[in-house]
Protein backbone atom coordinates (compact mmCIF):
# COMPACT_ATOMS: atom_id res chain seq x y z
CA UNK A 1 0.00 0.00 0.00
CA UNK A 2 2.78 2.46 0.91
CA UNK A 3 4.46 1.98 -2.48
CA UNK A 4 1.21 3.01 -4.17
CA UNK A 5 0.24 5.78 -1.74
CA UNK A 6 3.40 7.14 -0.12
CA UNK A 7 1.44 9.93 1.56
CA UNK A 8 -0.17 7.24 3.76
CA UNK A 9 3.12 6.21 5.41
CA UNK A 10 2.51 5.84 9.10
CA UNK A 11 -1.20 6.60 8.81
CA UNK A 12 -2.15 3.11 7.72
CA UNK A 13 0.19 1.59 10.31
CA UNK A 14 -1.48 3.68 13.02
CA UNK A 15 -4.91 2.55 11.87
CA UNK A 16 -3.79 -1.09 11.88
CA UNK A 17 -2.25 -0.66 15.34
CA UNK A 18 -5.52 0.76 16.67
CA UNK A 19 -7.53 -2.04 15.01
CA UNK A 20 -5.22 -4.63 16.61
CA UNK A 21 -5.88 -3.22 20.06
CA UNK A 22 -2.78 -1.11 20.68
CA UNK A 23 -3.19 1.77 23.10
CA UNK A 24 -4.06 5.19 21.73
CA UNK A 25 -0.57 6.44 22.57
CA UNK A 26 1.09 3.68 20.52
CA UNK A 27 -1.38 3.93 17.63
CA UNK A 28 -0.95 7.71 17.50
CA UNK A 29 2.84 7.36 17.64
CA UNK A 30 2.82 4.95 14.69
CA UNK A 31 0.34 7.18 12.83
CA UNK A 32 2.45 10.31 13.33
CA UNK A 33 6.01 9.06 13.25
CA UNK A 34 6.76 10.33 9.73
CA UNK A 35 5.80 13.86 10.80
CA UNK A 36 6.75 16.54 10.13
CA UNK A 37 7.23 16.10 6.40
CA UNK A 38 7.57 19.86 5.86
CA UNK A 39 8.35 22.88 7.98
CA UNK A 40 4.66 23.82 8.02
CA UNK A 41 3.53 20.33 9.00
CA UNK A 42 2.62 19.46 12.58
CA UNK A 43 4.88 17.35 14.75
CA UNK A 44 3.76 14.04 16.31
CA UNK A 45 1.04 14.62 18.88
CA UNK A 46 2.59 12.70 21.76
CA UNK A 47 6.05 12.24 23.21
CA UNK A 48 6.26 8.61 22.10
CA UNK A 49 5.61 9.66 18.51
CA UNK A 50 8.24 12.39 18.82
CA UNK A 51 10.80 9.89 20.14
CA UNK A 52 10.11 7.46 17.29
CA UNK A 53 10.20 10.26 14.70
CA UNK A 54 13.50 11.59 16.06
CA UNK A 55 15.06 8.11 16.11
CA UNK A 56 13.87 7.37 12.56
CA UNK A 57 15.07 10.70 11.16
CA UNK A 58 18.43 10.54 12.96
CA UNK A 59 18.94 6.97 11.74
CA UNK A 60 18.26 8.07 8.15
CA UNK A 61 20.57 11.09 8.30
CA UNK A 62 23.44 9.31 10.06
CA UNK A 63 23.10 6.18 7.91
CA UNK A 64 23.15 8.10 4.64
CA UNK A 65 26.12 10.24 5.70
CA UNK A 66 27.98 7.08 6.80
CA UNK A 67 27.79 5.62 3.28
CA UNK A 68 28.56 8.92 1.55
CA UNK A 69 25.04 9.90 0.52
CA UNK A 70 25.40 13.56 1.47
CA UNK A 71 23.09 16.20 -0.04
CA UNK A 72 24.88 18.48 -2.48
CA UNK A 73 23.56 21.67 -4.01
CA UNK A 74 19.99 21.01 -5.07
CA UNK A 75 20.42 17.23 -4.98
CA UNK A 76 18.84 15.53 -1.96
CA UNK A 77 17.35 12.26 -3.25
CA UNK A 78 16.92 10.80 0.25
CA UNK A 79 15.20 13.91 1.68
CA UNK A 80 17.86 14.34 4.35
CA UNK A 81 17.27 18.09 4.56
CA UNK A 82 13.61 17.42 5.27
CA UNK A 83 14.54 14.85 7.92
CA UNK A 84 16.97 17.30 9.54
CA UNK A 85 14.31 20.03 9.55
CA UNK A 86 11.95 17.56 11.22
CA UNK A 87 14.54 16.81 13.91
CA UNK A 88 15.05 20.49 14.65
CA UNK A 89 11.34 21.28 14.57
CA UNK A 90 10.43 18.48 16.99
CA UNK A 91 13.17 19.46 19.44
CA UNK A 92 12.22 23.13 19.37
CA UNK A 93 8.44 22.77 19.46
CA UNK A 94 8.44 20.13 22.20
CA UNK A 95 11.22 22.00 24.04
CA UNK A 96 13.09 18.75 24.46
CA UNK A 97 16.37 18.82 26.41
CA UNK A 98 18.16 16.91 23.64
CA UNK A 99 21.83 17.27 22.78
CA UNK A 100 22.29 17.05 19.02
CA UNK A 101 25.92 15.98 19.31
CA UNK A 102 25.07 13.20 21.78
CA UNK A 103 22.12 12.13 19.61
CA UNK A 104 24.32 11.93 16.52
CA UNK A 105 26.88 9.94 18.54
CA UNK A 106 24.21 7.53 19.78
CA UNK A 107 22.85 7.02 16.26
CA UNK A 108 26.39 6.40 14.99
CA UNK A 109 27.02 3.87 17.77
CA UNK A 110 23.77 2.08 16.92
CA UNK A 111 24.75 1.97 13.26
CA UNK A 112 28.05 0.36 14.23
CA UNK A 113 26.55 -2.25 16.55
CA UNK A 114 23.61 -3.30 14.35
CA UNK A 115 23.41 -4.36 10.74
CA UNK A 116 24.96 -3.18 8.47
CA UNK A 117 27.58 -2.50 11.20
CA UNK A 118 28.86 0.61 9.50
CA UNK A 119 31.22 2.95 11.33
CA UNK A 120 30.95 6.73 11.38
CA UNK A 121 34.21 8.63 11.62
CA UNK A 122 34.60 11.64 13.92
CA UNK A 123 34.80 13.84 10.82
CA UNK A 124 31.51 12.41 9.58
CA UNK A 125 29.91 13.00 12.99
CA UNK A 126 31.02 16.63 12.83
CA UNK A 127 29.68 16.88 9.27
CA UNK A 128 26.31 15.48 10.38
CA UNK A 129 26.20 17.80 13.37
CA UNK A 130 27.00 20.83 11.19
CA UNK A 131 24.34 19.72 8.71
CA UNK A 132 21.74 19.62 11.48
CA UNK A 133 22.95 22.96 12.80
CA UNK A 134 22.52 24.49 9.33
CA UNK A 135 18.91 23.32 9.34
CA UNK A 136 18.46 24.90 12.78
CA UNK A 137 19.82 28.18 11.44
CA UNK A 138 17.32 27.95 8.59
CA UNK A 139 14.43 27.40 11.03
CA UNK A 140 15.51 30.33 13.20
CA UNK A 141 15.76 32.66 10.19
CA UNK A 142 12.92 31.53 7.94
CA UNK A 143 10.30 30.35 10.37
CA UNK A 144 11.04 32.36 13.47
CA UNK A 145 12.07 35.54 11.62
CA UNK A 146 15.43 36.09 13.30
CA UNK A 147 18.09 37.93 11.34
CA UNK A 148 21.16 36.27 9.93
CA UNK A 149 23.44 38.26 12.25
CA UNK A 150 21.33 37.42 15.31
CA UNK A 151 21.55 33.70 14.67
CA UNK A 152 25.22 33.79 13.71
CA UNK A 153 26.18 35.79 16.79
CA UNK A 154 24.22 33.54 19.13
CA UNK A 155 25.65 30.35 17.67
CA UNK A 156 29.21 31.66 17.73
CA UNK A 157 28.81 32.32 21.47
CA UNK A 158 27.88 28.65 21.99
CA UNK A 159 30.77 27.43 19.90
CA UNK A 160 33.22 29.39 22.07
CA UNK A 161 31.62 28.07 25.28
CA UNK A 162 31.55 24.44 24.18
CA UNK A 163 35.02 24.13 22.67
CA UNK A 164 33.95 24.31 19.05
CA UNK A 165 30.83 22.22 19.27
CA UNK A 166 27.56 24.09 19.37
CA UNK A 167 24.42 22.92 21.13
CA UNK A 168 22.20 25.69 19.81
CA UNK A 169 19.20 23.45 19.28
CA UNK A 170 19.35 21.81 22.67
CA UNK A 171 15.66 21.97 23.49
CA UNK A 172 14.38 25.49 23.39
CA UNK A 173 17.59 26.94 24.78
CA UNK A 174 18.85 28.05 21.37
CA UNK A 175 15.52 29.59 20.53
CA UNK A 176 15.26 31.47 23.81
CA UNK A 177 18.87 32.68 23.59
CA UNK A 178 18.22 34.16 20.15
CA UNK A 179 15.05 35.77 21.51
CA UNK A 180 17.07 37.26 24.37
CA UNK A 181 19.61 38.66 21.92
CA UNK A 182 16.84 40.24 19.88
CA UNK A 183 15.26 41.73 23.00
CA UNK A 184 18.61 43.33 23.87
CA UNK A 185 18.15 45.49 20.77
CA UNK A 186 21.34 47.54 20.57
CA UNK A 187 23.51 44.66 21.72
CA UNK A 188 23.88 43.42 18.16
Amino acid sequence: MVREFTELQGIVGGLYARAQGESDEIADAVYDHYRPVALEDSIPRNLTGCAVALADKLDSVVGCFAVGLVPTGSSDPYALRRAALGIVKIILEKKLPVSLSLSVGAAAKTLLTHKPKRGVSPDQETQIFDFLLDRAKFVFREREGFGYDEVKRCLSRWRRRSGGRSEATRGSKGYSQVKELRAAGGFL
Side-chain angles (χ1 to χ4, degrees):
M1 174 165 279
V2 172
R3 289 180 195 253
E4 299 278 331
F5 303 102
T6 55
E7 68 276 3
L8 296 179
Q9 289 184 87
I11 295 171
V12 172
L15 296 173
Y16 280 139
R18 191 172 317 294
Q20 292 175 353
E22 294 292 341
S23 69
D24 286 345
E25 182 172 354
I26 299 300
D28 289 345
V30 173
Y31 189 98
D32 291 343
H33 100 271
Y34 283 100
R35 288 185 179 170
V37 294
L39 197 53
E40 303 79 32
D41 195 16
S42 61
I43 63 173
R45 60 191 118 170
N46 62 34
L47 198 54
T48 304
C50 288
V52 173
L54 284 172
D56 184 44
K57 290 171 187 342
L58 275 165
D59 181 62
S60 295
V61 171
V62 172
C64 284
F65 271 73
V67 296
L69 299 173
V70 180
T72 58
S74 63
S75 177
D76 186 12
Y78 298 97
L80 299 182
R81 287 186 187 101
R82 186 181 337 166
L85 281 171
I87 292 166
V88 170
K89 186 172 179 178
I90 290 168
I91 291 170
L92 290 175
E93 285 190 18
K94 279 289 191 187
K95 298 179 180 168
L96 299 173
V98 173
S99 165
L100 282 179
S101 59
L102 292 177
S103 297
V104 169
K109 184 177 179 181
T110 301
L111 188 63
L112 181 61
T113 57
H114 295 83
K115 286 186 180 182
K117 295 193 180 209
R118 182 76 178 205
V120 178
S121 72
D123 287 343
Q124 286 174 314
E125 280 193 42
T126 299
Q127 185 182 22
I128 296 164
F129 179 80
D130 288 341
F131 176 73
L132 293 171
L133 195 60
D134 283 343
R135 297 297 92 201
K137 291 175 187 176
F138 177 81
V139 170
F140 286 140
R141 287 192 312 262
E142 300 300 321
R143 184 166 184 257
E144 304 299 333
F146 295 113
Y148 174 83
D149 290 337
E150 292 172 306
V151 174
K152 183 178 178 184
R153 180 110 184 206
C154 185
L155 296 181
S156 69
R157 288 173 62 195
W158 271 298
R159 283 199 186 278
R160 284 194 303 272
R161 287 186 198 156
S162 61
R165 268 253 160 121
S166 174
E167 286 301 327
T169 56
R170 188 172 181 180
S172 62
K173 185 175 182 182
Y175 178 71
S176 61
Q177 287 285 86
V178 174
K179 280 180 87 169
E180 287 174 26
L181 286 176
R182 177 175 272 180
F187 179 72
L188 298 176

